[in-house]
Amino acid sequence: MLTEKKHDLCHHIILIGFMGTGKSTVGQRLAEYLQAPFIDLDHEVVYRDGRTIPELFEQEGEGYFRDLESKTLMSCLQSDVPCIMSTGGGAVLRSENCEVMIQKGFVVQLTAELETIVARVAGDSNRPLLQGNASERVQQLMDARAGRYGFAHCQIATDQCDVERIINSILEAYDAYCCATKAAE
Ligand code: S3P
């Protein structure tokens, strides 16, 4: 059950993590609970370009998608209205993206074990980087991205937890972060 405690949203809360760690589901639910604007970075990229992610990868290549992803991230985080944002799993691949996320918000890494991720993403045709043998692709990409998500303010495992417990953990860490930033002012 979600706590009754009141939370003042004074910073963006940005969810990062590998594909299939629950960023969109948790972000949406967290935004509803806090009655805050929700931005799903992948949806925003698709909305701005007008093509789906598989179409962008196929027609323009990954570099084009990454440029659009960076531009969209930067412009969304310029807003003074705090929001909940879920990012795509590869948004951490550019260091400038990581810098802006950590400067502008409270960054939460959602994690999950390989088996959990494979079970969640298997058969999903909307993720171009996981086409083919999903288990092999997830393993390769997890190895290639080792350490990329470690800059987050906190890490929360999503394997066995339900969404409400994950949200309570995020808010507990967020409140501690707000107290620490206020004390440092
Ligand atoms: C990607 C993750 C996807 C999406 C794109 C690339 C990645 O988002 O941005 O397919 O490189 O990890 P999700 O993490 O929401 O699946």
Side-chain angles (χ1 to χ4, degrees):
M1 223 179 81
L2 288 166
T3 55
E4 295 293 317
K5 198 175 162 204
K6 177 143 180 18
H7 302 271
D8 287 326
L9 193 62
C10 37
H11 306 274
H12 301 298
I13 300 181
I14 304 164
L15 305 182
I16 64 167
F18 199 83
M19 290 175 265
T21 50
K23 303 176 298 282
S24 300
T25 309
V26 171
Q28 170 101 54
R29 186 75 186 82
L30 178 60
E32 278 164 22
Y33 175 65
L34 293 175
Q35 299 185 334
F38 174 60
I39 298 173
D40 184 310
L41 190 59
D42 281 344
H43 290 180
E44 192 61 29
V45 165
V46 166
Y47 173 74
R48 290 185 181 200
D49 186 272
R51 286 175 283 183
T52 65
I53 291 180
E55 282 167 354
L56 286 172
F57 270 72
E58 200 187 309
Q59 295 169 17
E60 309 289 352
E62 185 174 344
Y64 178 92
F65 171 78
R66 296 293 172 208
D67 287 344
L68 204 50
E69 183 179 52
S70 279
K71 275 188 211 140
T72 310
L73 175 75
M74 305 288 169
S75 78
C76 290
L77 291 182
Q78 288 317 315
S79 168
D80 289 335
V81 180
C83 72
I84 311 302
M85 174 185 279
S86 64
T87 59
V92 297
L93 295 176
R94 292 197 173 168
S95 56
E96 62 268 32
N97 292 354
C98 302
E99 279 158 25
V100 78
M101 286 192 251
I102 207 85
Q103 264 170 25
K104 298 272 179 187
F106 177 65
V107 184
V108 179
Q109 179 196 3
L110 298 185
T111 68
E113 297 296 330
L114 175 89
E115 296 73 27
T116 311
I117 291 178
V118 172
R120 288 180 186 163
V121 302
D124 184 346
S125 59
N126 203 36
R127 289 183 168 107
L129 294 178
L130 296 184
Q131 297 317 296
N133 183 325
S135 181
E136 265 176 36
R137 288 296 294 140
V138 170
Q139 182 71 74
Q140 283 166 357
L141 282 171
M142 280 180 118
D143 290 347
R145 292 179 182 179
R148 292 285 193 163
Y149 302 98
F151 71 96
H153 291 104
C154 75
Q155 277 75 28
I156 293 172
T158 66
D159 299 86
Q160 267 123 50
C161 293
D162 64 32
V163 175
E164 295 197 346
R165 277 180 64 185
I166 295 166
I167 288 175
N168 283 335
S169 302
I170 293 174
L171 290 173
E172 207 177 296
Y174 175 73
D175 287 344
Y177 168 80
C178 289
C179 285
T181 17
K182 272 194 195 121
E185 276 167 13

